[in-house]
């Protein structure tokens, strides 16, 4: 069902020290990874399980940083940074997050 190696790794590596991500967390992570793949930008990080029971990704592209967490309740917690400074943050559903990410990427190119 999940084709991204890091999601498969999370599913196969879930042990007693880690929580088991729910289906919505995994789907949101896959949606984000698919988007990054679709826009053909290099990804330097991978999703990891956190002690706070979320899936976290630090994605860096040139002077941009994206701190993304897929939360248990289905929302995406995000912080965007450019040149080390915070440029945007929030906590929204995946349907609202992807357009926010698109807008940020478009604005950051200029």
């Amino acid at each position: 069902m999940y084709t991204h190696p890091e999601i498969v790794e999370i599913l196969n590596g879930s042990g007693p020290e880690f929580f088991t991500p729910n289906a919505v967390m995994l789907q949101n992570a896959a949606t984000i990874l698919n988007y990054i793949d679709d826009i053909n930008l290099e990804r330097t990080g991978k999703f990891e399980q956190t002690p706070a029971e979320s899936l976290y990704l630090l994605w860096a592209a040139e002077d941009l940083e994206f701190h993304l967490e897929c939360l248990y309740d289905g929302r995406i917690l995000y912080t965007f940074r450019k040149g080390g400074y915070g440029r945007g943050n929030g906590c929204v559903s995946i349907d609202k997050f992807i357009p926010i990410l698109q807008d940020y990427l478009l604005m950051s190119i200029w």
Side-chain angles (χ1 to χ4, degrees), residues 49-102:
Q49 291 172 292
T50 71
E53 297 190 354
S54 66
L55 297 177
Y56 173 78
L57 171 67
L58 170 58
W59 169 34
E62 296 183 17
D63 66 339
L64 304 175
E65 282 184 5
F66 305 89
H67 300 264
L68 312 174
E69 283 190 66
C70 298
L71 304 178
Y72 201 79
D73 65 1
R75 294 180 301 151
I76 306 300
L77 177 64
Y78 66 92
T79 300
F80 301 149
R81 296 182 185 277
K82 183 170 183 170
Y85 296 99
R87 296 292 185 212
N89 59 60
C91 190
V92 296
S93 68
I94 191 74
D95 295 340
K96 292 180 181 177
F97 173 72
I98 295 296
I100 292 169
L101 178 59
Q102 288 171 337

Side-chain angles (χ1 to χ4, degrees), residues 6 14 17-18 23 25 29 34 54 61 87 102 104 107:
E6 67 202 72
S14 290
E17 69 276 11
F18 293 110
M25 292 172 80
N34 288 338
S54 66
R87 296 292 185 212
Q102 288 171 337
Y104 184 77
M107 288 187 307

Side-chain angles (χ1 to χ4, degrees), residues 6-65:
E6 67 202 72
I7 293 177
V8 172
E9 182 180 320
I10 288 169
L11 289 171
N12 291 337
S14 290
E17 69 276 11
F18 293 110
F19 72 101
T20 301
N22 65 20
V24 73
M25 292 172 80
L26 295 169
Q27 184 58 48
N28 286 347
T31 298
I32 291 169
L33 294 174
N34 288 338
Y35 178 76
I36 293 169
D37 289 348
D38 287 347
I39 61 173
N40 203 27
L41 284 178
E42 182 181 359
R43 187 165 47 91
T44 55
K46 66 179 191 169
F47 274 105
E48 300 175 10
Q49 291 172 292
T50 71
E53 297 190 354
S54 66
L55 297 177
Y56 173 78
L57 171 67
L58 170 58
W59 169 34
E62 296 183 17
D63 66 339
L64 304 175
E65 282 184 5

